[in-house]
Amino acid sequence: EVGSGAFAEGLHRWKYKGGEDYIVTGLEREQDAMAFVAAIITTNNLGYKEFVRCIRTYQEWQTVLDDMDERSKEFYEEQAIEVNPNTYKKAA
């Protein structure tokens, strides 16, 4: 039974899945970058929930990637989404 997906009805079936990596430019502070990404991606409904889980500087992200094998590192670099609040346009 699909039902409402509500916890109270015992119909909750949530699981963690990988998300996206966003590279934010045009801002000086980490908290501004996090707030911007949260504003453009946060979703909270019974179908899925998406929210900011982790924030790193670009250098910290590169350090994490440097610990990966070359194929994985290339994958994450290619999949990263670059955004800038000064030029961002929401997709139609």
XYZ file of all heavy atoms in Angstrom:
749
model
N 0.843 -1.184 0.000
C 0.000 0.000 0.000
C 0.887 1.246 0.000
O 1.825 1.357 0.767
C -0.888 -0.021 1.239
C -1.731 1.202 1.375
C -2.581 1.192 2.644
O -2.718 0.126 3.267
O -3.083 2.243 2.981
N 0.593 2.187 -0.846
C 1.350 3.430 -0.911
C 0.877 4.386 0.167
O 1.653 4.915 0.938
C 1.236 4.096 -2.302
C 1.930 5.433 -2.303
C 1.810 3.180 -3.359
N -0.400 4.605 0.276
C -0.952 5.485 1.299
C -0.395 6.892 1.225
O 0.060 7.355 0.182
N -0.400 7.536 2.353
C 0.021 8.932 2.410
C 1.535 9.080 2.569
O 2.080 10.145 2.335
C -0.663 9.638 3.574
O -0.137 9.139 4.794
N 2.214 8.030 2.998
C 3.632 8.141 3.289
C 3.898 8.724 4.664
O 5.023 8.993 5.024
N 2.846 8.923 5.416
C 2.972 9.559 6.730
C 3.564 8.601 7.756
O 3.232 7.420 7.803
C 1.610 10.052 7.210
N 4.438 9.114 8.588
C 5.042 8.329 9.657
C 3.968 7.765 10.582
O 4.022 6.604 10.980
C 6.028 9.199 10.432
C 6.740 8.447 11.515
C 7.871 7.707 11.223
C 6.285 8.488 12.821
C 8.537 6.998 12.221
C 6.942 7.788 13.818
C 8.064 7.043 13.519
N 2.979 8.585 10.914
C 1.932 8.180 11.853
C 1.147 6.983 11.343
O 0.605 6.206 12.132
C 0.988 9.357 12.132
N 1.085 6.788 10.040
C 0.353 5.660 9.462
C 1.249 4.440 9.260
O 0.813 3.429 8.733
C -0.259 6.074 8.122
C -1.320 7.145 8.252
C -1.834 7.611 6.896
O -1.629 6.908 5.893
O -2.431 8.692 6.860
N 2.512 4.550 9.650
C 3.436 3.434 9.469
C 3.829 3.214 8.015
O 4.269 2.134 7.650
N 3.663 4.222 7.193
C 3.911 4.078 5.755
C 5.184 4.797 5.310
O 5.369 5.068 4.138
C 2.710 4.586 4.959
C 1.408 3.840 5.243
C 0.247 4.522 4.554
C 1.516 2.394 4.813
N 6.039 5.110 6.223
C 7.289 5.799 5.898
C 8.309 4.772 5.399
O 8.474 3.715 5.965
C 7.812 6.540 7.129
C 7.966 5.645 8.322
N 6.880 5.202 9.039
C 9.047 5.091 8.886
C 7.292 4.417 10.000
N 8.612 4.320 9.938
N 8.956 5.092 4.311
C 9.977 4.213 3.734
C 11.123 5.058 3.202
O 11.453 5.009 2.027
C 9.396 3.358 2.596
C 8.242 2.475 2.987
C 8.707 1.306 3.876
N 7.619 0.420 4.164
C 6.878 0.457 5.254
N 7.084 1.367 6.177
N 5.913 -0.398 5.445
N 11.723 5.859 4.053
C 12.772 6.773 3.607
C 14.115 6.079 3.623
O 14.388 5.225 4.443
C 12.817 8.005 4.508
C 11.525 8.750 4.500
C 10.582 8.744 5.483
C 11.006 9.566 3.460
N 9.511 9.526 5.118
C 9.748 10.042 3.869
C 11.483 9.948 2.208
C 8.964 10.869 3.097
C 10.701 10.786 1.442
C 9.460 11.233 1.882
N 14.974 6.452 2.693
C 16.352 5.975 2.696
C 17.241 7.074 2.132
O 16.804 7.913 1.351
C 16.505 4.693 1.896
C 16.113 4.808 0.433
C 16.241 3.458 -0.238
C 15.741 3.519 -1.662
N 15.836 2.265 -2.338
N 18.488 7.052 2.559
C 19.443 8.036 2.068
C 19.903 7.653 0.668
O 20.151 6.486 0.387
C 20.674 8.112 2.974
C 20.423 8.768 4.291
C 20.451 8.037 5.463
C 20.171 10.127 4.365
C 20.235 8.641 6.682
C 19.950 10.738 5.581
C 19.986 9.995 6.736
O 19.774 10.606 7.934
N 20.020 8.641 -0.161
C 20.589 8.461 -1.492
C 21.588 9.587 -1.705
O 21.492 10.632 -1.091
C 19.512 8.517 -2.573
C 18.539 7.367 -2.506
C 17.598 7.398 -3.672
C 16.668 6.201 -3.592
N 15.764 6.141 -4.716
N 22.507 9.355 -2.598
C 23.487 10.395 -2.897
C 22.823 11.623 -3.468
O 21.749 11.550 -4.064
N 23.446 12.733 -3.281
C 22.905 13.979 -3.788
C 23.837 14.613 -4.791
O 24.617 13.930 -5.449
N 23.749 15.888 -4.881
C 24.554 16.648 -5.833
C 25.620 17.441 -5.086
O 25.431 17.825 -3.943
C 23.668 17.642 -6.600
C 22.441 17.033 -7.250
C 22.767 16.118 -8.406
O 23.904 16.158 -8.923
O 21.888 15.339 -8.782
N 26.706 17.703 -5.763
C 27.729 18.610 -5.250
C 27.566 19.938 -5.981
O 27.507 19.965 -7.213
C 29.135 18.070 -5.506
C 29.487 16.891 -4.616
O 28.810 16.693 -3.593
O 30.455 16.184 -4.935
N 27.461 21.012 -5.230
C 27.335 22.348 -5.798
C 28.610 23.132 -5.512
O 29.077 23.155 -4.378
C 26.140 23.101 -5.195
C 24.819 22.565 -5.657
C 24.232 21.468 -5.050
C 24.159 23.153 -6.732
C 23.021 20.969 -5.486
C 22.946 22.655 -7.178
C 22.387 21.562 -6.547
O 21.197 21.064 -6.992
N 29.152 23.746 -6.535
C 30.290 24.643 -6.379
C 29.734 26.052 -6.522
O 29.240 26.429 -7.582
C 31.369 24.366 -7.438
C 31.895 22.939 -7.266
C 32.494 25.402 -7.324
C 32.828 22.494 -8.358
N 29.776 26.801 -5.436
C 29.187 28.136 -5.406
C 30.292 29.179 -5.541
O 31.260 29.170 -4.784
C 28.403 28.374 -4.096
C 27.773 29.759 -4.097
C 27.346 27.295 -3.901
N 30.127 30.067 -6.506
C 31.054 31.183 -6.671
C 30.274 32.481 -6.493
O 29.049 32.488 -6.501
C 31.711 31.156 -8.066
O 30.686 31.221 -9.060
C 32.539 29.893 -8.271
N 30.999 33.559 -6.314
C 30.351 34.866 -6.210
C 29.961 35.266 -4.802
O 29.350 36.316 -4.599
N 30.293 34.449 -3.828
C 29.997 34.765 -2.431
C 31.262 34.608 -1.605
O 32.112 33.779 -1.914
C 28.903 33.845 -1.881
C 27.524 33.991 -2.529
C 26.605 32.872 -2.077
C 26.926 35.340 -2.202
N 31.352 35.379 -0.550
C 32.542 35.339 0.296
C 32.399 34.381 1.478
O 33.374 33.784 1.919
C 32.850 36.743 0.837
C 33.230 37.740 -0.239
C 34.535 37.385 -0.927
O 35.467 36.940 -0.241
O 34.604 37.550 -2.159
N 31.175 34.235 1.998
C 30.991 33.476 3.229
C 30.332 32.127 2.966
O 29.428 32.011 2.142
C 30.140 34.266 4.219
C 30.744 35.604 4.582
C 29.920 36.419 5.570
N 28.501 36.195 5.502
C 27.696 36.183 6.582
N 28.175 36.409 7.785
N 26.399 35.986 6.436
N 30.789 31.106 3.700
C 30.221 29.766 3.571
C 28.729 29.751 3.877
O 27.951 29.091 3.193
C 30.941 28.789 4.501
C 32.370 28.527 4.118
C 33.069 27.626 5.114
O 32.404 26.979 5.949
O 34.310 27.577 5.061
N 28.330 30.484 4.916
C 26.920 30.467 5.294
C 26.031 31.086 4.213
O 24.885 30.683 4.026
C 26.682 31.093 6.667
C 27.228 32.474 6.882
C 28.638 32.493 7.426
O 29.526 31.894 6.858
N 28.845 33.211 8.525
N 26.553 32.056 3.461
C 25.782 32.626 2.354
C 25.648 31.616 1.219
O 24.602 31.507 0.594
C 26.441 33.907 1.843
C 26.418 35.016 2.881
O 25.516 35.016 3.735
O 27.322 35.881 2.827
N 26.723 30.862 0.972
C 26.684 29.823 -0.062
C 25.674 28.739 0.315
O 24.872 28.301 -0.519
C 28.070 29.222 -0.263
N 25.685 28.324 1.575
C 24.748 27.306 2.022
C 23.310 27.800 1.922
O 22.423 27.080 1.459
C 25.047 26.876 3.458
C 24.125 25.769 3.927
S 24.559 25.084 5.527
C 24.155 26.427 6.603
N 23.075 29.034 2.328
C 21.719 29.591 2.258
C 21.245 29.683 0.808
O 20.077 29.397 0.512
C 21.683 30.970 2.919
N 22.134 30.055 -0.096
C 21.760 30.146 -1.503
C 21.400 28.772 -2.065
O 20.355 28.600 -2.694
C 22.893 30.767 -2.330
C 22.635 30.734 -3.803
C 21.638 31.518 -4.359
C 23.362 29.898 -4.630
C 21.373 31.476 -5.720
C 23.110 29.845 -5.990
C 22.113 30.642 -6.531
N 22.251 27.771 -1.819
C 21.957 26.424 -2.326
C 20.671 25.895 -1.688
O 19.822 25.325 -2.370
C 23.142 25.464 -2.099
C 22.758 24.031 -2.447
C 24.339 25.912 -2.931
N 20.492 26.118 -0.403
C 19.266 25.669 0.257
C 18.041 26.303 -0.387
O 17.013 25.650 -0.584
C 19.319 25.990 1.747
N 18.150 27.557 -0.744
C 17.008 28.258 -1.350
C 16.646 27.689 -2.716
O 15.476 27.680 -3.088
C 17.321 29.752 -1.472
N 17.634 27.197 -3.456
C 17.321 26.714 -4.811
C 17.040 25.222 -4.878
O 16.458 24.763 -5.858
C 18.421 27.093 -5.834
C 19.752 26.414 -5.523
C 18.573 28.603 -5.925
C 20.829 26.622 -6.586
N 17.403 24.434 -3.846
C 17.195 22.982 -3.952
C 16.290 22.374 -2.900
O 15.816 21.265 -3.076
C 18.533 22.211 -3.935
C 19.232 22.332 -2.581
C 19.442 22.636 -5.053
C 19.624 21.010 -2.013
N 16.064 23.044 -1.785
C 15.324 22.417 -0.697
C 13.925 22.006 -1.148
O 13.173 22.809 -1.686
C 15.240 23.350 0.521
O 16.564 23.638 0.952
C 14.460 22.719 1.654
N 13.623 20.743 -0.910
C 12.319 20.175 -1.223
C 11.885 19.347 -0.022
O 12.682 18.614 0.544
C 12.397 19.258 -2.459
O 12.908 20.001 -3.550
C 11.034 18.698 -2.827
N 10.626 19.445 0.344
C 10.114 18.680 1.466
C 8.681 18.275 1.160
O 7.753 19.037 1.361
C 10.184 19.505 2.756
C 9.751 18.705 3.957
O 9.620 17.495 3.906
N 9.510 19.399 5.062
N 8.537 17.074 0.623
C 7.194 16.554 0.366
C 7.201 15.054 0.598
O 8.219 14.480 0.969
C 6.726 16.935 -1.052
C 7.610 16.366 -2.130
O 7.955 15.187 -2.123
N 7.991 17.202 -3.087
N 6.085 14.401 0.383
C 6.013 12.967 0.650
C 6.723 12.136 -0.405
O 7.019 10.973 -0.189
C 4.553 12.525 0.787
C 3.864 13.041 2.048
C 2.407 12.649 2.055
C 4.562 12.549 3.300
N 7.024 12.728 -1.553
C 7.743 12.006 -2.597
C 9.225 11.922 -2.316
O 9.852 10.878 -2.488
N 9.797 12.996 -1.894
C 11.217 13.023 -1.541
C 11.540 14.287 -0.764
O 10.782 15.241 -0.760
C 12.120 12.897 -2.777
C 12.087 14.081 -3.715
C 13.052 15.079 -3.636
C 11.107 14.198 -4.691
C 13.038 16.158 -4.500
C 11.091 15.279 -5.564
C 12.058 16.241 -5.462
O 12.037 17.318 -6.316
N 12.681 14.249 -0.117
C 13.169 15.388 0.652
C 14.594 15.650 0.192
O 15.388 14.729 0.076
C 13.129 15.097 2.144
C 11.717 14.821 2.626
C 11.671 14.511 4.089
C 10.281 14.137 4.550
N 9.203 14.996 4.176
N 14.885 16.889 -0.083
C 16.228 17.254 -0.504
C 16.645 18.484 0.275
O 15.904 19.448 0.377
C 16.257 17.541 -2.006
C 17.638 17.789 -2.542
C 17.661 17.878 -4.059
O 16.609 18.042 -4.680
O 18.769 17.793 -4.601
N 17.834 18.422 0.843
C 18.314 19.527 1.656
C 19.839 19.497 1.698
O 20.463 18.496 1.371
C 17.733 19.462 3.072
C 17.903 18.128 3.740
C 19.039 17.850 4.478
C 16.931 17.151 3.611
C 19.206 16.621 5.084
C 17.091 15.913 4.216
C 18.227 15.648 4.955
N 20.419 20.597 2.120
C 21.869 20.692 2.259
C 22.288 19.826 3.442
O 21.757 19.944 4.535
C 22.312 22.158 2.479
C 23.810 22.222 2.736
C 21.920 23.017 1.285
N 23.236 18.950 3.209
C 23.704 18.036 4.248
C 25.112 18.365 4.719
O 25.482 18.106 5.854
C 23.677 16.604 3.726
C 24.037 15.563 4.751
C 24.164 14.176 4.157
N 25.283 14.050 3.240
C 26.539 13.848 3.599
N 26.869 13.785 4.855
N 27.493 13.736 2.689
N 25.903 18.939 3.851
C 27.308 19.165 4.171
C 27.789 20.404 3.432
O 27.339 20.671 2.317
C 28.115 17.945 3.735
S 29.872 18.081 4.017
N 28.682 21.131 4.057
C 29.272 22.289 3.400
C 30.782 22.215 3.583
O 31.267 21.884 4.667
C 28.697 23.612 3.936
C 29.257 24.791 3.163
C 28.937 23.763 5.415
C 28.548 26.095 3.426
N 31.500 22.445 2.491
C 32.958 22.447 2.508
C 33.451 23.599 1.658
O 32.790 23.990 0.702
C 33.513 21.163 1.883
C 33.217 19.899 2.594
C 33.927 18.747 1.902
N 33.643 17.505 2.558
C 32.812 16.580 2.096
N 32.210 16.748 0.952
N 32.611 15.478 2.773
N 34.625 24.075 1.988
C 35.253 25.022 1.077
C 35.678 24.244 -0.162
O 35.761 23.008 -0.149
C 36.496 25.683 1.708
O 37.489 24.675 1.922
C 36.153 26.399 3.009
N 35.982 24.952 -1.234
C 36.432 24.287 -2.457
C 37.705 23.486 -2.184
O 37.852 22.355 -2.657
C 36.669 25.320 -3.570
C 37.004 24.693 -4.887
C 36.000 24.134 -5.664
C 38.313 24.647 -5.349
C 36.303 23.537 -6.882
C 38.622 24.052 -6.563
C 37.612 23.498 -7.323
O 37.911 22.904 -8.535
N 38.613 24.035 -1.380
C 39.858 23.342 -1.051
C 39.582 22.055 -0.272
O 40.221 21.021 -0.519
C 40.803 24.260 -0.253
C 41.364 25.419 -1.048
C 40.349 26.565 -1.252
O 39.360 26.693 -0.524
N 40.589 27.375 -2.262
N 38.646 22.102 0.669
C 38.288 20.896 1.423
C 37.678 19.838 0.507
O 37.964 18.644 0.642
C 37.310 21.239 2.549
C 37.927 22.057 3.665
C 36.902 22.639 4.617
O 35.708 22.768 4.252
O 37.305 22.991 5.738
N 36.837 20.264 -0.431
C 36.223 19.340 -1.392
C 37.304 18.680 -2.246
O 37.282 17.476 -2.469
C 35.211 20.098 -2.253
C 34.451 19.273 -3.224
C 33.527 18.302 -2.938
C 34.507 19.352 -4.649
N 33.014 17.782 -4.099
C 33.600 18.420 -5.167
C 35.227 20.151 -5.530
C 33.406 18.243 -6.521
C 35.032 19.980 -6.886
C 34.136 19.030 -7.377
N 38.272 19.472 -2.704
C 39.368 18.928 -3.500
C 40.192 17.921 -2.690
O 40.622 16.905 -3.233
C 40.270 20.047 -4.016
C 39.703 20.792 -5.200
C 39.573 19.908 -6.428
O 40.456 19.131 -6.755
N 38.446 20.029 -7.116
N 40.380 18.169 -1.409
C 41.112 17.234 -0.559
C 40.373 15.895 -0.478
O 40.990 14.831 -0.550
C 41.317 17.827 0.853
O 42.073 19.031 0.730
C 42.037 16.861 1.778
N 39.045 15.946 -0.334
C 38.245 14.718 -0.318
C 38.405 13.982 -1.653
O 38.613 12.766 -1.680
C 36.756 15.026 -0.033
C 35.891 13.805 -0.247
C 36.587 15.563 1.379
N 38.334 14.714 -2.748
C 38.477 14.094 -4.070
C 39.869 13.505 -4.263
O 40.020 12.457 -4.903
C 38.180 15.108 -5.174
C 36.764 15.666 -5.247
C 36.628 16.594 -6.440
C 35.724 14.561 -5.311
N 40.873 14.165 -3.738
C 42.251 13.683 -3.885
C 42.460 12.324 -3.230
O 43.382 11.592 -3.595
C 43.246 14.697 -3.321
C 43.385 15.926 -4.209
O 42.997 15.858 -5.399
O 43.873 16.961 -3.705
N 41.618 11.969 -2.258
C 41.709 10.662 -1.607
C 41.017 9.564 -2.408
O 41.080 8.399 -2.026
C 41.095 10.725 -0.200
C 41.959 11.520 0.771
O 43.177 11.682 0.495
O 41.423 11.985 1.785
N 40.358 9.917 -3.507
C 39.635 8.951 -4.336
C 40.524 8.461 -5.480
O 41.504 9.105 -5.836
C 38.387 9.594 -4.944
C 37.369 10.031 -3.953
S 35.967 10.787 -4.816
C 34.930 11.184 -3.443
N 40.119 7.333 -6.052
C 40.813 6.894 -7.258
C 40.489 7.879 -8.383
O 39.504 8.617 -8.312
C 40.404 5.463 -7.634
C 38.929 5.348 -7.962
O 38.555 5.590 -9.130
O 38.145 5.044 -7.035
N 41.308 7.903 -9.403
C 41.195 8.899 -10.466
C 39.837 8.867 -11.170
O 39.264 9.909 -11.476
C 42.323 8.702 -11.490
C 42.527 9.891 -12.394
C 42.874 11.178 -11.651
O 43.538 11.135 -10.603
O 42.458 12.259 -12.122
N 39.306 7.684 -11.401
C 38.005 7.560 -12.083
C 36.881 8.198 -11.257
O 36.046 8.925 -11.784
C 37.718 6.094 -12.350
C 36.491 5.849 -13.157
C 36.363 4.394 -13.481
N 35.110 4.146 -14.153
C 34.618 2.963 -14.386
N 35.290 1.892 -14.024
N 33.474 2.809 -14.993
N 36.863 7.924 -9.960
C 35.842 8.506 -9.080
C 35.996 10.016 -8.999
O 35.011 10.759 -9.051
C 35.926 7.901 -7.681
O 35.634 6.532 -7.719
N 37.234 10.474 -8.873
C 37.501 11.911 -8.789
C 36.984 12.621 -10.046
O 36.299 13.641 -9.944
C 38.995 12.163 -8.621
C 39.357 13.615 -8.523
C 40.853 13.805 -8.335
C 41.182 15.286 -8.293
N 42.599 15.535 -8.056
N 37.263 12.075 -11.208
C 36.779 12.662 -12.460
C 35.259 12.687 -12.506
O 34.660 13.659 -12.953
C 37.334 11.895 -13.659
C 38.793 12.139 -13.910
C 39.341 11.294 -15.053
O 38.543 10.687 -15.806
O 40.574 11.239 -15.188
N 34.627 11.615 -12.038
C 33.167 11.549 -12.030
C 32.583 12.689 -11.195
O 31.694 13.413 -11.655
C 32.688 10.199 -11.479
C 31.200 10.144 -11.273
C 30.354 9.912 -12.338
C 30.649 10.349 -10.020
C 28.976 9.870 -12.158
C 29.275 10.316 -9.830
C 28.443 10.069 -10.908
N 33.069 12.858 -9.979
C 32.530 13.904 -9.109
C 32.810 15.301 -9.646
O 31.966 16.192 -9.537
C 33.049 13.752 -7.676
C 32.346 12.656 -6.930
C 32.941 11.421 -6.738
C 31.065 12.847 -6.431
C 32.281 10.397 -6.070
C 30.394 11.840 -5.760
C 31.009 10.616 -5.590
O 30.340 9.622 -4.925
N 33.965 15.498 -10.225
C 34.276 16.804 -10.810
C 33.359 17.112 -11.997
O 32.894 18.246 -12.155
C 35.744 16.860 -11.237
C 36.688 16.939 -10.066
C 38.150 16.864 -10.457
O 38.482 16.291 -11.510
O 38.972 17.390 -9.696
N 33.077 16.105 -12.817
C 32.202 16.303 -13.979
C 30.749 16.527 -13.566
O 30.010 17.246 -14.240
C 32.289 15.099 -14.916
C 33.613 14.989 -15.633
C 33.765 13.677 -16.386
O 32.816 12.858 -16.388
O 34.838 13.463 -16.968
N 30.324 15.892 -12.470
C 28.928 15.970 -12.034
C 28.622 17.200 -11.185
O 27.460 17.544 -10.989
C 28.546 14.706 -11.252
C 28.607 13.438 -12.071
C 27.654 13.473 -13.247
O 26.485 13.799 -13.099
N 28.154 13.129 -14.419
N 29.644 17.852 -10.660
C 29.425 19.011 -9.788
C 28.688 20.108 -10.557
O 28.934 20.339 -11.732
C 30.763 19.531 -9.269
N 27.779 20.763 -9.880
C 26.962 21.820 -10.474
C 27.498 23.165 -9.997
O 27.518 23.435 -8.795
C 25.488 21.654 -10.054
C 24.969 20.291 -10.525
C 24.642 22.800 -10.602
C 23.643 19.897 -9.909
N 27.938 23.979 -10.929
C 28.470 25.298 -10.580
C 27.341 26.324 -10.620
O 26.597 26.396 -11.601
C 29.590 25.687 -11.537
C 30.798 24.780 -11.407
C 31.978 25.250 -12.235
O 32.215 26.471 -12.312
O 32.650 24.374 -12.796
N 27.207 27.077 -9.534
C 26.173 28.113 -9.439
C 26.767 29.394 -8.879
O 27.703 29.364 -8.099
C 24.964 27.667 -8.581
C 24.188 26.537 -9.250
C 25.410 27.255 -7.186
N 26.194 30.496 -9.296
C 26.585 31.815 -8.808
C 25.299 32.603 -8.630
O 24.532 32.760 -9.595
C 27.501 32.488 -9.818
C 27.982 33.850 -9.355
O 27.237 34.637 -8.792
N 29.246 34.139 -9.623
N 25.010 33.114 -7.437
C 23.755 33.826 -7.222
C 23.607 35.082 -8.073
O 22.500 35.546 -8.322
C 23.775 34.172 -5.733
C 25.195 34.054 -5.333
C 25.827 33.060 -6.237
N 24.730 35.624 -8.548
C 24.685 36.835 -9.373
C 24.237 36.566 -10.806
O 23.795 37.464 -11.501
C 26.043 37.516 -9.366
C 26.475 37.900 -7.969
O 25.751 38.585 -7.250
N 27.629 37.427 -7.559
N 24.356 35.297 -11.238
C 24.003 34.947 -12.607
C 22.978 33.825 -12.688
O 22.582 33.435 -13.779
C 25.265 34.531 -13.396
O 25.860 33.396 -12.728
C 26.252 35.664 -13.481
N 22.542 33.308 -11.543
C 21.648 32.145 -11.506
C 20.279 32.456 -12.092
O 19.669 33.469 -11.794
C 21.488 31.659 -10.068
C 20.564 30.470 -9.941
C 20.991 29.207 -10.292
C 19.257 30.637 -9.501
C 20.158 28.124 -10.196
C 18.411 29.548 -9.392
C 18.859 28.288 -9.739
O 18.011 27.218 -9.651
N 19.804 31.564 -12.940
C 18.459 31.627 -13.494
C 17.809 30.266 -13.234
O 18.353 29.239 -13.637
C 18.487 31.903 -14.998
C 19.179 33.178 -15.385
C 18.212 34.337 -15.341
C 18.786 35.556 -15.977
N 19.361 36.516 -15.100
N 16.674 30.263 -12.590
C 15.976 29.024 -12.313
C 15.495 28.405 -13.617
O 14.930 29.084 -14.463
C 14.794 29.271 -11.377
C 14.127 28.013 -10.920
C 13.095 28.286 -9.866
C 12.501 26.963 -9.437
N 11.768 27.070 -8.208
N 15.715 27.089 -13.757
C 15.267 26.386 -14.959
C 13.747 26.403 -15.045
O 13.066 26.273 -14.031
C 15.781 24.948 -14.938
N 13.254 26.564 -16.251
C 11.796 26.642 -16.446
C 11.163 25.285 -16.396
O 11.704 24.280 -16.592
C 11.507 27.293 -17.779
